[in-house]
Amino acid sequence: MHYQALLSDGHAPKVASLAAEVERKMPELIDSTVRQILAEMPVYADARWVSHAELRNSVRANLDHVMRTLRGSDVPDLSQARATGRARALQGAPLPELLRAYRIGLTEVWHRFVELTARGSSQDLAGLVAATTAIWALIDDLAEALTTSYRDTTAEVMVAHQNRRSALVEALFAGGAATEGTLWDIARVLELSLDGTFVVVAAETPRLGQEPLPQVEARLRAAQHASAWRLTPDLQVGVVSLRDPSASGAIVDLVRAHPVGRVGISPVFTGLGNTARALHLARVALSSMTPGTPGLVQFTESPLAGLVASAPEASVQLAHHVLQPVLDLPGDDRNVLLLTLRAWFDCQGSTKLTSERMFCHPNTIRHRLKRITEELGRSLTDPADIAELGAALRALNLFPEATHLPSPR
């Protein structure tokens, strides 16, 4: 410590003698220190964190410790500085203001020492130098103790706040039997509107513990959108508050600007209590994309894909029921016919565009389509058959392993 090094230089007796004289007028020292702090620091004058009475008690306690240290020859008593640092951190007072108040108090002590060493015809210059050195060495030790305590406490508070925030975000996404009071508490802590307009974003993590949308909360905040996020082993999910329903497009653009993997976004919804349902729809939208292919889908953009993704087992059964005759064909035949049918759907039923996409003659496409209808016993002009074929192809696209499953008995 700085002050301990000072004591070894033999300054302690002079400093102790001066400190004993100053201590006789402690009430006056406390009054002047409090007045100076209130005059120079509006945050204390306005009682923003502590009342004037609490400030006076804190000044008294800290000056008592300072004077006892200056009178003694032992190590500095830093317990009060640590206690003050912890208390102000819990109250949310900024550290620079706290250190400034400490400097004001120690400067008031120094002024008293100057007055004592300047009395009479023979000024005690050696005593003033010793006192000045002692006080500023003590300021260093006190500031270090106070700062360390303040930062340690701030870290504790941040961890506790983050833990509570994470628990509330988890509860929000889990849904269940949350009461109105619980939702109000969640909305308050997460700084979200209880009856606001939202979307939920679900982004696939590239690897365990890595955020696919780094800094997304800060980027949304910069765009004036509040949000709350959590990271799971496979997803980063967040609920985003919209200034108005039309802002959904801006959220989509912001998330799409940093693509890493698959991202699903729910429809716009109202009421924080509907977040769990929206998360399900965001996950469905994410699942509607081919695994391993980066991209973004909002649920409303592909309701059929969402419907298929939301019921995997039923969708696979549908695919087998509708496409089984083609799935049972030898590998090359099966693959060619499935690729042709997918291309025909992607090209909105245009034989010409399908032939261009597959680099073959339109007559070849017509022949393949005719064979598909014969194999499946379904028409490519009947809306009901087309809907079933489209859903079955979606299921195969989402669950490609279904192509190689054995035929159902």
Side-chain angles (χ1 to χ4, degrees):
M1 290 185 180
H2 303 90
Y3 193 77
Q4 278 183 290
L6 170 70
L7 295 179
S8 63
D9 292 338
H11 293 95
K14 281 185 176 292
V15 174
S17 176
L18 290 168
E21 289 193 54
V22 171
E23 200 170 18
R24 294 191 187 102
K25 296 184 178 181
M26 181 63 81
E28 180 185 326
L29 177 60
I30 293 171
D31 287 343
S32 63
T33 300
V34 171
R35 283 197 304 271
Q36 194 74 8
I37 291 173
L38 294 177
E40 294 187 16
M41 303 182 68
V43 292
Y44 283 104
D46 298 341
R48 192 171 304 173
W49 296 292
V50 296
S51 67
H52 291 179
E54 289 173 321
L55 173 63
R56 176 174 290 276
N57 289 336
S58 179
V59 168
R60 178 185 295 108
N62 279 285
L63 287 178
D64 281 343
H65 279 72
V66 166
M67 299 314 298
R68 282 202 300 272
T69 301
L70 292 173
R71 277 194 294 103
S73 57
D74 207 347
V75 296
D77 185 349
L78 304 177
S79 59
Q80 184 59 37
R82 295 190 185 99
T84 301
R86 181 171 183 80
R88 297 298 177 265
L90 292 173
Q91 292 164 335
L95 180 59
E97 297 294 304
L98 185 55
L99 291 172
R100 184 181 174 194
Y102 252 80
R103 285 195 294 271
I104 289 174
L106 270 295
T107 301
E108 286 296 304
V109 173
W110 179 75
H111 285 157
R112 299 301 186 280
F113 279 33
V114 171
E115 292 172 0
L116 289 175
T117 55
R119 287 186 310 190
S121 57
S122 58
Q123 297 181 351
D124 185 2
L125 183 60
L128 177 59
V129 171
T132 301
T133 305
I135 288 173
W136 297 120
L138 184 58
I139 285 178
D140 284 343
D141 287 339
L142 292 172
E144 183 177 338
L146 183 144
T147 300
T148 300
S149 176
Y150 181 97
R151 288 176 175 166
D152 288 347
T153 303
T154 299
E156 291 175 16
V157 170
M158 290 180 64
V159 169
H161 176 74
Q162 188 57 43
N163 286 342
R164 185 181 184 211
R165 183 180 173 88
S166 296
L168 293 178
V169 172
E170 177 68 28
L172 183 63
F173 283 121
T179 65
E180 185 175 344
T182 303
L183 281 174
W184 182 88
D185 191 43
I186 292 173
R188 179 180 58 81
V189 174
L190 300 183
E191 298 180 346
L192 300 173
S193 170
L194 188 62
D195 300 318
T197 303
F198 307 92
V199 292
V200 167
V201 179
E204 190 174 45
T205 57
R207 59 183 60 87
L208 185 65
Q210 181 175 347
E211 293 185 348
L213 302 173
Q215 305 298 318
V216 64
E217 188 168 355
R219 289 189 282 118
L220 285 167
R221 190 183 307 114
Q224 307 301 313
H225 293 288
S227 62
W229 296 80
R230 71 178 174 91
L231 184 66
T232 70
D234 59 334
L235 291 176
Q236 182 183 13
V237 294
V239 55
V240 183
S241 177
L242 307 179
R243 293 192 303 272
D244 58 77
S246 64
S248 173
I251 303 301
V252 170
D253 292 342
L254 186 147
V255 173
R256 184 178 276 137
H258 299 78
V260 174
R262 295 183 297 171
V263 180
I265 297 182
S266 74
V268 175
F269 65 97
T270 302
L272 202 59
N274 295 313
T275 301
R277 173 61 180 164
L279 173 60
H280 170 72
L281 297 179
R283 295 180 71 127
V284 166
L286 183 151
S287 299
S288 71
M289 290 175 281
T290 304
T293 303
L296 182 149
V297 169
Q298 190 164 10
F299 183 83
T300 52
E301 292 178 5
S302 181
L304 178 59
L307 182 63
V308 169
S310 65
E313 292 184 9
S315 297
V316 169
Q317 289 178 3
L318 171 67
H320 277 278
H321 177 72
V322 174
L323 300 173
Q324 193 64 59
V326 171
L327 295 176
D328 287 341
L329 292 173
D332 288 344
D333 281 355
R334 178 188 64 215
N335 294 337
V336 167
L337 294 184
L338 287 176
L339 287 172
T340 301
L341 187 58
R342 285 193 179 109
W344 184 80
F345 269 92
D346 290 342
C347 296
Q348 292 81 48
S350 168
T351 301
K352 180 176 182 297
L353 293 177
T354 303
S355 67
E356 292 174 356
R357 172 173 289 197
M358 300 197 69
F359 304 102
C360 58
H361 196 278
N363 285 338
T364 302
I365 298 300
R366 293 187 185 95
H367 173 73
R368 291 177 185 174
L369 293 174
K370 182 175 182 295
R371 185 180 175 193
I372 289 171
T373 60
E374 291 173 348
E375 293 283 355
L376 299 180
R378 294 175 186 272
S379 169
L380 293 180
T381 58
D382 184 331
D385 286 349
I386 292 174
E388 290 182 354
L389 287 168
L393 286 174
R394 286 281 189 181
L396 283 186
N397 188 49
L398 289 177
F399 312 110
E401 66 278 5
T403 306
H404 308 289
L405 292 178
S407 302
R409 301 296 181 187

